[in-house]
Amino acid sequence: MRTKNAESISVPRKELKLWYDEEAPYGNEGISCAYAAQSEYSDIPDDGWEKWSLPLGNGYSGINVFGRTNTERLQITDNTLSTQLEIVRWQEGERRLNKRLFGGGLNSFSETYIDFHHPWDMVENYRRELDLRTAVASVAYSYNGVDYKREYFTSYPDKAIVIHLESSGKSNLNFTLRPTIPYKQDYMVDEGDGFSKHGTVVARDDGSIILSGNLGYNNVDFTALYKIVHSDGTLTAANRMNERGAYDDGTLTLSGATEAYIVITLSTSFVLSSDIFMTDEPKAKFKESRCDAAAVAEEELAAALGYSYSELRERHIADYSGLFGRVELDLGGEVPTSTTDELLQNYARGESCTYLEELYFQFGRYLLISSSREGSMPANLQGTWNRYNLAPWGSGYWHNINVQMNYWPAFSTNLAETFGSYVDYWKAFLPKAEEYATAAISGESYVSNLGLDFSSADERVLEKYRANLGKDGGNGWTVGIGCEAYRIVSTPGCGNVGFTTQMFWDYYDFTRNKDILRDTVYPALKGASQYITKTFERENDGRYLSIWGDSPEQWVGGVWYYTKGTTYDQSFAYNNGYYTLEAARILGISREDEGESILATVAEQLPNYNPIVIGYSGQVKEFREENYYGELGEYAHRHTSQLVGLYPGNIINSDTPAWIDAAKYTLTQREKGTAGDSWGWSIAFRQNLWARAGEGDEAYRQYRKLLSIRTASNLWSKTPAGFQIDANFGGTAGVAEMLLQSQSGYIEPLAAIPASWKSGSYRGLVARGGFEVFASWEEGVAKLFGITSKVGGVCKLRHKGLKNAEVFLAGGAKVGCTHLADDAISFDTVAGETYIIDNIKPVEPVDAPSKLTVAEGGEGAYALAWTASPDAVSYNVYRAVENDCDYTFVASTSDTAYMHHIKASEADKRTTYRVCAVGKNGAESRCVLAYTVGKIPS
């Protein structure tokens, strides 16, 4: 009996740190916004904050550490302190507005300073770092012969920010704590608006500081409490009288101490509830649901002070590492001696650094844990961090890719719990989303981020909508693009709804938790189906097309382009419908059951959605009316919405190779030009798409581009609009997709490994079905796989070289398996058991032919010719006609040319030919070529 144990599937656990030998630089710290093209500040963000500060977060709040020695800057945000996103006009220097800007969004809670009076030019041995394994940041240096060290963390279990300060020797620690409230202002945008911010900072007799105030637009109270805990030295409180006759600008000064720690707790009057979204009047949003911010902050501070610093630190690390430590990745990178910014600079110049690639992957997981936890708001466009008064894009929840991308790594990288915060948000806004659905279907006007008035639409369209009003038990729900903490919006079409329910289905599919399916996922899918089916109409040929949809952010003729049957709408409608029926099947719900008639409607429409259509260029069409790629909309647009059926959906998959080739062509064209590269998330999306297409080298090229041109020195993603976190999450998800896929019904380890990752291993990535996966490979060849079954069930595994594979329990006992094909096996699993797959034999790769040409070869024939493959013993010729998703075998030949005779009825049809080399072992070449022919309209 072979001996198999946990050690055989272990992965090296290396240091994962961002570190720097300089404090965060100063630059543009007085500006109130760093925003998109609407703002004159678009090119001068706060560099110290956006590019150099180190982010910490516990889901509820975020803090950015600058690591300065003279005066430390700590920028603090609470994810519930927000103002409504509005188009406003600001007269600079006056209390009116004249410039078109998106105003509001997540607001900076505090700029907090700690004065040490240690001039930077007199400091030695400086080091600033963020340890991803502990989520603890630290600063260490020497000044005047004394060693100083500071540690910072944000605790989820104690809902507190904690800062520890110490010095060598006795009585050398001296500092002043100075919290401030940024952007205090009295002006109004419109009469009665109250787009204002007031507050005071008061030092109290008990050696604490209370920072409290009100954000005017939504009448949100906010409170932060600061407490210095020390065992030696003298603590002194000071305040000044402000113009209103109240104490303000409170400070605490600690002198002659050796060590101390500061505990900070934050709260606002925000309470997540449906009342917030159902109320349009800003100041009425918190009338029914409101908490006492000061009382909550006091209670949380008292609880946190019940623990010592070491206990607070241990509680934080135990909680955080329980999530972060689930996944290990080793691509062969060695811990470098260079600082993180130096690594990035060298990488952008073309140097290889697999450690940086590992670090960025894990940094994305770190950010998700830090910005989305149970009980908190979900991660927004900036996660949980923002230092501006006018946040980039309002720090919103943009439902045409951005918020979804935030959660792409949640399931594959073993952080499914982080999605719970979005579920709570969705449940809170659901009644409003249902109201919007009814308004849309009835043709009533409703608010959207585009200011679109549905009643102005074509009356025929509205009549089609109204004809379905109330059918199948209700009108379901819909959601638009620019949603916020306190408000959602709605837009026409159904793509955004399906994009959102894709997250819900993945929530179930990766966990296989039937309680989640029954209580959360099925209601979301069913409600979306009730809306989606009412926005489609049946064509004369039997197809169902969305009546009025879009392909996100594509403009034609200077206006946002709305049309019928966009691929974005059709793909997500298909996915949502399929998932709805599958969820009902798993739960034992029948279309004959009371209240479930929507299932019959979905079953009727689903086969006729026709989601993928191939155009004359060989592309996946974005719009039904397009012939050649790029005829409509921007050629190199940042969105690649016509390929959502490839990722995050699975309409385009290994069973649709002709569609995969069309997707590859589309991706190649999309990247021509620079428009897409302006946005990190766009690059990350292409990374995931190439990975899903099985092209590891192309996915890796996008990953390198993301790190090289759209990553700041602190590893945050950067865009023309400033810091935007979605690319961080998208890049992490893309790496996971390269390492492991499971959308086809099989677990496929190493599905898109690039040549640059020659050897490596990973542990803890999750496949659909509730399986945690281990894989190791050397010189591009798989060595060992491990599968831990979380819920039991059949495991189906696919990878080249499994023909003679054997399966063992971790203890060594052999497990029976069924060989489904030369590259696929299946075996039964028991929940909690780990299975090791060994005896994976390498498969000799076969070089592909090249330079395929197709020309007319006389009446009723096409002449194919190609350049030989050195490994080939023969060639297989395939073709796909018109919109075929799969190729049909045409012939096998040992020649490098073939004459294909076709039927007269096929002469005018667009045809894609594909030629593969066949090696001595019978395997086909991986890289195949395609060429499109046919009589194309001029």
Side-chain angles (χ1 to χ4, degrees):
M1 180 183 296
R2 293 190 175 193
T3 301
K4 300 292 178 186
N5 51 46
E7 186 62 30
S8 67
I9 56 172
S10 63
V11 178
R13 188 179 183 275
K14 65 186 70 173
E15 177 183 285
L16 293 169
K17 291 181 178 180
L18 286 69
W19 78 276
Y20 309 85
D21 56 9
E22 293 182 335
E23 61 182 12
Y26 295 81
N28 307 318
E29 297 191 9
I31 66 174
S32 63
C33 70
Y35 205 61
Q38 293 96 335
S39 169
E40 72 269 36
Y41 298 122
S42 60
D43 295 325
I44 52 168
D46 179 348
D47 286 347
W49 182 82
E50 289 204 351
K51 299 178 182 178
W52 292 93
S53 67
L54 296 176
L56 297 163
N58 58 12
Y60 298 101
S61 56
I63 179 173
N64 288 78
V65 176
F66 290 69
R68 291 173 179 165
T69 61
N70 198 46
T71 294
E72 171 66 294
R73 176 187 175 191
L74 303 172
Q75 189 274 319
I76 300 173
T77 311
D78 185 286
N79 220 358
T80 64
L81 186 66
S82 184
T83 54
Q84 194 157 298
L85 185 64
E86 292 287 347
I87 303 292
V88 295
R89 296 181 177 276
W90 191 340
Q91 175 73 42
E92 200 165 309
E94 300 180 12
R95 295 184 180 184
R96 301 296 300 170
L97 296 165
N98 84 10
K99 188 177 287 287
R100 252 183 112 67
L101 289 169
F102 284 100
L106 186 63
N107 200 269
S108 180
F109 200 106
S110 173
E111 292 281 3
T112 295
Y113 302 97
I114 308 178
D115 297 319
F116 296 102
H117 305 296
H118 299 161
W120 170 250
D121 57 2
M122 297 178 65
V123 164
E124 297 178 328
N125 304 319
Y126 180 90
R127 183 181 175 102
R128 176 171 59 102
E129 69 177 38
L130 170 60
D131 187 342
L132 299 187
R133 293 203 174 277
T134 61
V136 174
S138 62
V139 176
Y141 60 88
S142 298
Y143 172 72
N144 276 352
V146 178
D147 296 330
Y148 293 92
K149 183 176 181 181
R150 311 195 291 264
E151 283 193 334
Y152 315 74
F153 61 85
T154 53
S155 170
Y156 174 73
D158 293 305
K159 295 184 181 179
I161 298 168
V162 183
I163 305 162
H164 183 263
L165 310 98
E166 62 178 292
S167 63
S168 63
K170 189 173 177 61
S171 304
N172 287 318
L173 182 63
N174 306 281
F175 65 86
T176 297
L177 176 64
R178 288 191 294 116
T180 71
I181 301 174
Y183 312 123
K184 288 197 289 187
Q185 54 204 12
D186 296 325
Y187 61 78
M188 296 180 179
V189 175
D190 293 313
E191 203 62 39
D193 176 1
F195 189 67
S196 59
K197 190 178 186 183
H198 300 286
T200 58
V201 179
V202 179
R204 303 190 295 188
D205 292 338
D206 64 355
S208 66
I209 292 176
I210 179 169
L211 178 156
S212 60
N214 179 271
L215 199 57
Y217 192 88
N218 294 111
N219 189 27
V220 179
D221 298 327
F222 57 91
T223 298
L225 292 172
Y226 297 72
K227 177 72 174 180
I228 297 177
V229 181
H230 61 107
S231 57
D232 62 351
T234 302
L235 186 64
T236 305
N239 292 288
R240 74 168 182 84
M241 195 77 73
N242 63 25
E243 67 277 6
R244 295 177 180 173
Y247 284 122
D248 200 357
D249 292 339
T251 63
L252 292 174
T253 299
L254 181 63
S255 304
T258 304
E259 68 172 311
Y261 65 95
I262 305 168
V263 179
I264 308 170
T265 56
L266 315 175
S267 184
T268 73
S269 54
F270 173 90
V271 175
L272 183 62
S273 74
S274 296
D275 297 334
I276 297 170
F277 301 99
M278 294 299 291
T279 305
D280 292 329
E281 173 57 37
K283 286 184 170 49
K285 286 183 177 291
F286 297 101
K287 278 187 177 179
E288 300 298 326
S289 302
R290 190 180 189 88
C291 78
D292 185 332
V296 171
E298 293 277 11
E299 180 180 340
E300 291 173 352
L301 179 64
L305 292 174
Y307 299 98
S308 66
Y309 171 73
S310 60
E311 289 171 331
L312 288 168
R313 191 178 190 276
E314 288 171 5
R315 283 166 57 82
H316 155 69
I317 293 175
D319 166 74
Y320 168 81
S321 62
L323 293 169
F324 184 83
R326 294 172 180 173
V327 173
E328 297 289 348
L329 172 62
D330 175 32
L331 299 174
E334 296 182 0
V335 178
T337 57
S338 300
T339 60
T340 304
D341 55 305
E342 290 172 339
L343 292 181
L344 271 171
Q345 291 168 6
N346 294 335
Y347 192 84
R349 287 194 287 263
E351 291 188 13
S352 174
C353 184
T354 51
Y355 175 84
L356 180 62
E357 292 160 0
E358 296 165 4
L359 186 69
Y360 188 94
F361 165 79
Q362 293 284 24
F363 184 61
R365 298 182 67 245
Y366 162 83
L367 291 175
L368 187 54
I369 298 170
S370 301
S371 60
S372 185
R373 296 296 300 271
E374 183 181 354
S376 76
M377 289 295 287
N380 59 44
L381 268 180
Q382 280 72 38
T384 190
W385 299 276
N386 173 56
R387 61 124 308 202
Y388 301 108
N389 193 33
L390 301 179
W393 306 113
S395 293
Y397 299 104
W398 297 76
H399 281 78
N400 60 358
I401 193 171
N402 309 94
V403 70
Q404 292 90 346
M405 186 177 285
N406 283 6
Y407 289 97
W408 282 355
F411 311 112
S412 58
T413 74
N414 219 332
L415 298 173
E417 296 94 330
T418 61
F419 185 61
S421 61
Y422 183 86
V423 172
D424 291 342
Y425 177 65
W426 172 79
K427 288 181 177 178
F429 76 61
L430 182 58
K432 187 65 176 181
E434 291 171 334
E435 183 180 281
Y436 278 144
T438 297
I441 295 166
S442 66
E444 296 174 5
S445 299
Y446 65 94
V447 178
S448 82
N449 65 310
L450 299 176
L452 191 70
D453 184 343
F454 226 78
S455 65
S456 66
D458 182 86
E459 187 63 26
R460 184 196 66 83
V461 173
L462 298 178
E463 285 303 317
K464 291 288 186 181
Y465 273 52
R466 293 181 189 126
N468 293 314
L469 189 64
K471 282 186 178 179
D472 295 321
N475 301 312
W477 63 277
T478 185
V479 68
I481 303 173
C483 300
E484 309 158 45
Y486 304 162
R487 180 181 69 169
I488 66 165
V489 298
S490 182
T491 48
C494 63
N496 298 331
V497 183
F499 215 155
T500 303
T501 57
Q502 179 71 53
M503 294 191 293
F504 282 83
W505 177 254
D506 287 341
Y507 189 29
Y508 164 72
D509 209 14
F510 280 88
T511 63
R512 293 295 169 92
N513 184 317
K514 285 192 177 181
D515 291 337
I516 288 174
L517 182 66
R518 180 187 62 250
D519 299 337
T520 299
V521 177
Y522 181 67
L525 293 168
K526 176 182 173 181
S529 288
Q530 288 172 321
Y531 174 72
I532 290 170
T533 55
K534 293 174 177 60
T535 65
F536 277 66
E537 68 174 334
R538 189 180 181 91
E539 302 290 296
N540 291 333
D541 60 5
R543 292 176 302 159
Y544 278 91
L545 299 182
S546 62
I547 299 174
W548 197 22
D550 68 340
S551 195
E553 302 179 27
Q554 279 282 21
W555 293 65
V556 176
V559 298
W560 194 293
Y561 189 62
Y562 287 102
T563 185
K564 292 182 66 173
T566 66
T567 301
Y568 180 67
D569 278 358
Q570 300 294 133
S571 296
F572 278 130
Y574 187 93
N575 279 337
N576 186 84
Y578 176 83
Y579 300 147
T580 301
L581 297 179
E582 183 67 5
R585 182 192 66 79
I586 295 166
L587 294 171
I589 298 171
S590 168
R591 65 189 68 176
E592 283 77 32
D593 292 343
E594 184 178 354
E596 302 298 337
S597 62
I598 183 60
L599 298 176
T601 303
V602 172
E604 178 201 354
Q605 291 191 9
L606 185 64
N608 300 298
Y609 282 149
N610 188 217
I612 306 300
V613 183
I614 308 302
Y616 294 138
S617 301
Q619 84 279 18
V620 175
K621 284 188 177 186
E622 189 164 5
F623 305 101
R624 299 268 153 175
E625 56 270 35
E626 104 187 34
N627 292 311
Y628 301 94
Y629 178 87
E631 279 186 344
L632 293 171
E634 188 177 359
Y635 199 98
H637 197 265
R638 57 194 173 276
H639 286 267
T640 314
S641 302
Q642 65 269 55
L643 296 186
V644 294
L646 174 62
Y647 185 95
N650 64 352
I651 300 170
I652 303 174
N653 55 56
S654 57
D655 293 327
T656 64
W659 287 357
I660 285 184
D661 284 345
K664 292 176 184 178
Y665 174 85
T666 306
L667 274 170
T668 300
Q669 299 306 308
R670 206 58 153 191
E671 197 174 358
K672 291 184 176 179
T674 59
D677 291 345
S678 297
W679 303 89
W681 63 261
S682 182
I683 300 171
F685 189 20
R686 294 199 300 266
Q687 176 193 351
N688 281 272
L689 289 166
W690 279 116
R692 186 62 69 85
E695 297 291 344
D697 289 336
E698 286 297 320
Y700 179 70
R701 185 172 62 84
Q702 300 296 331
Y703 190 47
R704 278 202 66 104
K705 183 182 290 187
L706 179 62
L707 269 66
S708 297
I709 70 172
R710 286 297 162 203
T711 299
S713 297
N714 61 359
L715 299 190
W716 263 354
S717 171
K718 57 185 180 181
T719 76
F723 159 57
Q724 194 167 299
I725 204 169
D726 41 18
N728 286 106
F729 297 136
T732 292
V735 172
E737 201 68 24
M738 294 160 73
L739 298 170
L740 175 68
Q741 295 179 23
S742 58
Q743 71 282 352
S744 65
Y746 290 84
I747 296 173
E748 300 184 69
L750 314 182
I753 293 291
S756 297
W757 295 347
K758 294 181 179 180
S759 302
S761 60
Y762 64 79
R763 173 188 60 78
L765 294 180
V766 180
R768 292 165 180 83
F771 298 102
E772 288 188 12
V773 180
F774 161 89
S776 66
W777 68 100
E778 294 178 9
E779 296 300 319
V781 177
K783 303 301 291 183
L784 201 68
F785 297 147
I787 307 289
T788 298
S789 179
K790 308 300 287 185
V791 296
V794 177
C795 174
K796 295 171 69 178
L797 188 71
R798 183 159 62 192
H799 185 79
K800 289 181 179 180
L802 293 182
K803 183 176 181 179
N804 300 308
E806 298 174 293
V807 182
F808 300 86
L809 288 172
K814 191 171 183 178
V815 176
C817 69
T818 301
H819 285 78
L820 304 175
D822 285 351
D823 63 350
I825 62 173
S826 70
F827 53 94
D828 293 328
T829 70
V830 176
E833 289 283 6
T834 295
Y835 301 83
I836 297 174
I837 295 85
D838 201 356
N839 200 24
I840 304 170
K841 300 297 184 183
V843 176
E844 193 68 28
V846 182
D847 285 343
S850 59
K851 298 180 181 178
L852 173 66
T853 61
V854 182
E856 291 189 11
E859 187 173 348
Y862 283 109
L864 283 69
W866 56 89
T867 302
S869 162
D871 303 324
V873 296
S874 64
Y875 300 91
N876 288 338
V877 180
Y878 301 88
R879 71 167 183 161
V881 179
E882 296 289 351
N883 204 43
D884 290 348
C885 65
D886 197 1
Y887 288 97
T888 300
F889 177 76
V890 172
S892 179
T893 178
S894 58
D895 202 352
T896 56
Y898 181 76
M899 187 72 70
H900 183 220
H901 295 274
I902 62 173
K903 299 176 182 178
S905 61
E906 298 174 345
D908 294 336
K909 293 184 177 180
R910 187 197 60 77
T911 303
T912 300
Y913 283 100
R914 172 169 161 166
V915 178
C916 305
V918 181
K920 294 178 181 179
N921 58 3
E924 287 189 335
S925 59
R926 178 184 170 277
C927 298
V928 296
L929 300 178
Y931 193 83
T932 303
V933 297
K935 293 184 178 180
I936 302 173
S938 60

